[in-house]
Amino acid sequence: MVIECIGLSGSGKTELLELIEKELKRREVDYVNVSANLRRGIVWKFLRVIAGALIFLSADARWLRDRLRGILEQEETAGGHGTNDSGKGVIRSLAVYSFWYRRMIRSHRIFLFDEGMVHTLMMFCADQKISEEAFRKMVMASERGVRSARLVISVEASSAERDDHADEYERLRLAYGRDFRVLEIRGEDENRKQLSR
């Protein structure tokens, strides 16, 4: 199973995953905090580079890359943003996440991400002002084969934490939440502290 948190910078994604991690440890559940390992572990960083280099040996990753490129090219034709260097980097990241997730959801372990696939896609679309239609197409493509055994936790920022991306991010978060399993947590909610139960 994969658990990933989405939210603006400073909304508490990392803190929330640390609470979940403590509870999983207390219950002796086998888990891996992927985001923490990528930040701290040299071996994990090396594996990420290797995965990025070899990712397109996977037919699924190649399909996702080509599909996302096509969506962004259609967006450019319609007067929006196309596949610039930033877009190519995001496409690669999403393909790597998709490759990992497909394997992780088959495992008996729980894998934790505080900036996973959904977060990467949403922040990119908010930053680039991608239309809702193109965003939804990108979501559907990215979700193919990884929807099962995955929980997305949306951490809503307080008004003090909102930044220039907040309104765009909120629009896209709601669009994502209409079609997929998303647990919403507000920063001040007691539920946030009790989530692990």
Side-chain angles (χ1 to χ4, degrees), residues 143-182:
E143 289 293 309
R144 193 179 83 154
V146 299
R147 285 181 66 178
S148 61
R150 188 161 71 101
L151 174 64
V152 177
I153 303 172
S154 174
V155 185
E156 186 177 313
S158 68
S159 57
E161 296 165 335
R162 295 169 72 83
D163 64 13
D164 293 339
H165 288 143
D167 292 338
E168 188 72 8
Y169 173 85
E170 185 68 11
R171 178 179 71 88
L172 298 179
R173 182 186 66 78
L174 291 172
Y176 189 92
R178 279 199 297 264
D179 296 322
F180 301 98
R181 185 171 55 171
V182 176

Side-chain angles (χ1 to χ4, degrees), residues 66-79 81-83:
D66 295 343
R67 179 73 181 116
L68 295 180
R69 280 182 178 170
I71 293 167
L72 289 174
E73 286 167 4
Q74 288 175 351
E75 180 82 348
E76 183 178 38
T77 302
H81 289 72
T83 312

